[in-house]
Amino acid sequence: MKKALIFGVTGQDGAYLSKFLLKKGYIVHGVKRRSSSLNSSRVDDIYSDPLIKKKKFYLHYGDITDSISVYNLVSTIRPNEIYNLAAQSHVAVSFEIPEYTTNADSLGTLRILEAVKKVNKKIKFYQAGSSEMFGKVVEIPQTEKTPFYPRSPYGAAKVYSHWITINYRESYNLFACNGILFNHESPLRGETFVTKKIVKALCKIKLERQKKLILGNLYSKRDWGHAEDYVEAMWKILQFKRPEDFVICTGKQYSIKDFITLVSNDLNMKIRWKGKGVNEKAYDSKGNCIIECNKKYFRPAEVDTLKGDYSKARKLLKWRPKHNIKSLIKDMISYELKHIDD
Ligand code: NAP
Ligand code: F7E
């Protein structure tokens, strides 16, 4: 049985990847941070499943800003594969806490790579890279060869992790790979990311449990996929015959406003837009203002457009997304309506 160690197991991708690997027959060890309130809700169902409890899923305390805990975990668990999904992953927040973001999102990766180098160079390593590294894009669509131009402390920190992963691969012959993943969403997406914020609010507005949604920039464009598809790509990257880096995306892009339209259509809500810039507002069929913009949700520097090209993953990994934007939105809405009282 293969053993996987997942840093960031309590996050969106950590939960999907744990389930995926358990289905593949892996023993999964996950690292969670100590927190004063419970932070394992996304994996509680796995943890309490009687079948899985039979020594297949373990949770350990640890923190990627703490070299001692990182080294101890790698040396005691001695996994076959490590997935580094741990990060301060919110781009807007990275402007507020840039030093912590850099410590976790850059040095965190270095700490794990050093532990792998010392404990066993045969451990395969996956680094959760991001399309945010492309930032102010220099070409469209973005591929593995597109130069980076990060636009946030988060993006810059991920660029360091990308290159240090390649450096350890080339210097010490590690099986260390970067996935350059474009935005991926799901019912388990964190509530402050724009897709989850929109789906949750529009479901509540539809059921008259909320009056208004406040957003930032409606005109940035993203290439949105489903987390379920993207964790499969992470695993495939580590099963490939050589350690390489891969772009994972859908190749389609939509603006935030397009996303709102698709969600409201699915919920059978008619909305009308009026105004411009930060004064742009959306009204329901009764004339109530249900969406407005506020400067506080705009970023000091924005990534205006992202659209990837996954030809390399399609050709070498035989990976392609199974979901499209409509099935992603359906999945998110259906979860939200079921959990409206949570
Ligand atoms: P997420 O939901 O924010 O999860 C991040 C995980 O990292 C959580 O388990 C979090 O723990 C953990 N974490 C944060 N700081 C940590 C620290 N100092 N030590 C240990 N663990 C720490 O993010 P996600 O959407 O699942 O994304 C997974 C990874 O992929 C992240 O590295 C993200 O930057 C990257 N990525 C995401 C996307 C996307 O669209 N989702 C795209 C490209 C790349 P808590 O639960 O305690 O906060
Ligand atoms: O913003 C705009 C915002 O926070 C998307 C992370 O997983 O994907 C994610 O980063 C867009 C931006 O995702 C609001 O300005 C408007 O243009 O959902 P987001 P992100 O910044 O693209 C990448 C690939 C990662 O790697 C990251 O870890 O939406 N936007 N109004 C808003 N964004 C938020 N959060 N909230 C708003 O109210």
Side-chain angles (χ1 to χ4, degrees):
M1 262 189 189
K2 276 193 188 171
K3 253 190 284 178
L5 172 58
I6 304 176
F7 288 90
V9 75
T10 56
Q12 168 188 259
D13 292 4
Y16 279 98
L17 181 64
S18 298
K19 283 176 198 165
F20 177 85
L21 293 176
L22 286 163
K23 271 200 201 133
K24 289 258 169 222
Y26 279 67
I27 295 175
V28 175
H29 292 261
V31 182
K32 66 168 191 168
R33 299 192 283 178
R34 143 75 190 154
S35 144
S36 64
S37 44
L38 298 176
N39 63 351
S40 58
S41 62
R42 292 188 180 101
V43 288
D44 282 346
D45 57 328
I46 310 179
Y47 203 59
S48 54
D49 183 316
L51 284 176
I52 292 169
K53 238 185 160 173
K54 279 200 247 153
K55 299 199 175 11
K56 286 201 169 151
F57 186 66
Y58 299 85
L59 289 177
H60 308 267
Y61 283 111
D63 196 303
I64 47 159
T65 62
D66 173 15
S67 309
I68 298 173
S69 74
V70 169
Y71 179 79
N72 285 344
L73 285 163
V74 175
S75 63
T76 52
I77 295 165
R78 295 189 160 261
N80 305 90
E81 294 170 8
I82 294 179
Y83 295 85
N84 177 27
L85 311 182
Q88 190 304 92
S89 74
H90 203 287
V91 174
V93 173
S94 79
F95 289 97
E96 309 290 325
I97 48 169
E99 185 179 342
Y100 172 73
T101 302
T102 306
N103 190 358
D105 299 9
S106 292
L107 295 180
T109 310
L110 176 66
R111 291 181 183 105
I112 302 173
L113 285 164
E114 260 301 299
V116 169
K117 185 185 113 192
K118 284 193 189 122
V119 171
N120 179 1
K121 293 203 184 77
K122 291 212 154 49
I123 298 172
K124 293 183 175 182
F125 175 77
Y126 172 85
Q127 165 56 19
S130 166
S131 52
E132 277 297 301
M133 299 187 295
F134 296 124
K136 191 170 178 177
V137 299
V138 301
E139 65 178 1
I140 300 173
Q142 296 83 52
T143 71
E144 293 78 5
K145 296 200 170 100
T146 304
F148 298 139
Y149 189 154
R151 293 275 278 173
S152 63
Y154 170 82
K158 286 284 183 181
V159 171
Y160 171 83
S161 280
H162 179 89
W163 283 109
I164 200 67
T165 298
I166 293 175
N167 180 255
Y168 270 57
R169 175 165 86 210
E170 292 176 352
S171 306
Y172 307 114
N173 208 18
L174 299 189
F175 199 108
C177 311
N178 292 292
I180 307 173
L181 272 53
F182 283 60
N183 296 55
H184 46 282
E185 319 293 310
S186 75
L188 300 186
R189 187 56 147 149
E191 305 206 345
T192 59
F193 294 96
V194 79
T195 55
K196 178 77 168 180
K197 198 172 156 183
I198 292 168
V199 171
K200 196 175 174 86
L202 289 186
C203 287
K204 285 194 163 177
I205 290 169
K206 164 98 181 168
L207 299 176
E208 298 186 351
R209 309 267 183 108
Q210 184 175 329
K211 286 202 159 50
K212 210 176 263 180
L213 163 66
I214 318 276
L215 292 171
N217 179 11
L218 302 174
Y219 289 94
S220 54
K221 291 182 181 157
R222 291 291 181 273
D223 177 335
W224 279 298
H226 196 302
E228 203 168 49
D229 289 336
Y230 287 38
V231 299
E232 185 194 12
M234 294 176 190
W235 174 77
K236 284 193 160 205
I237 288 172
L238 290 196
Q239 313 315 308
F240 189 55
K241 57 188 171 198
R242 291 183 302 274
E244 291 203 16
D245 309 318
F246 292 89
V247 159
I248 301 297
C249 60
T250 70
K252 305 240 158 38
Q253 65 167 195
Y254 300 88
S255 69
I256 311 302
K257 209 169 156 184
D258 295 334
F259 190 86
I260 295 171
T261 306
L262 289 166
V263 175
S264 56
N265 285 347
D266 207 284
L267 285 168
N268 236 339
M269 290 166 80
K270 283 212 159 50
I271 58 171
R272 245 173 341 106
W273 292 95
K274 274 193 199 163
K276 279 220 160 90
V278 79
N279 294 318
E280 190 161 9
K281 295 184 168 81
Y283 296 84
D284 68 10
S285 53
K286 292 180 196 147
N288 301 312
C289 173
I290 56 165
I291 302 175
E292 60 183 47
C293 300
N294 189 308
K295 277 219 168 333
K296 82 170 174 185
Y297 292 116
F298 283 68
R299 296 167 184 186
E302 179 62 282
V303 171
D304 295 319
T305 178
L306 287 172
K307 184 179 170 186
D309 173 352
Y310 66 91
S311 302
K312 181 179 175 187
R314 189 178 54 219
K315 198 165 154 213
L316 300 185
L317 303 178
K318 314 279 174 245
W319 179 88
R320 58 168 66 239
K322 296 181 184 86
H323 282 274
N324 59 29
I325 191 85
K326 287 197 171 161
S327 66
L328 166 68
I329 287 174
K330 274 212 180 314
D331 197 17
M332 292 180 79
I333 289 180
S334 131
Y335 177 93
E336 225 47 65
L337 294 175
K338 270 190 218 134
H339 292 85
I340 204 91
D341 292 321
D342 292 359

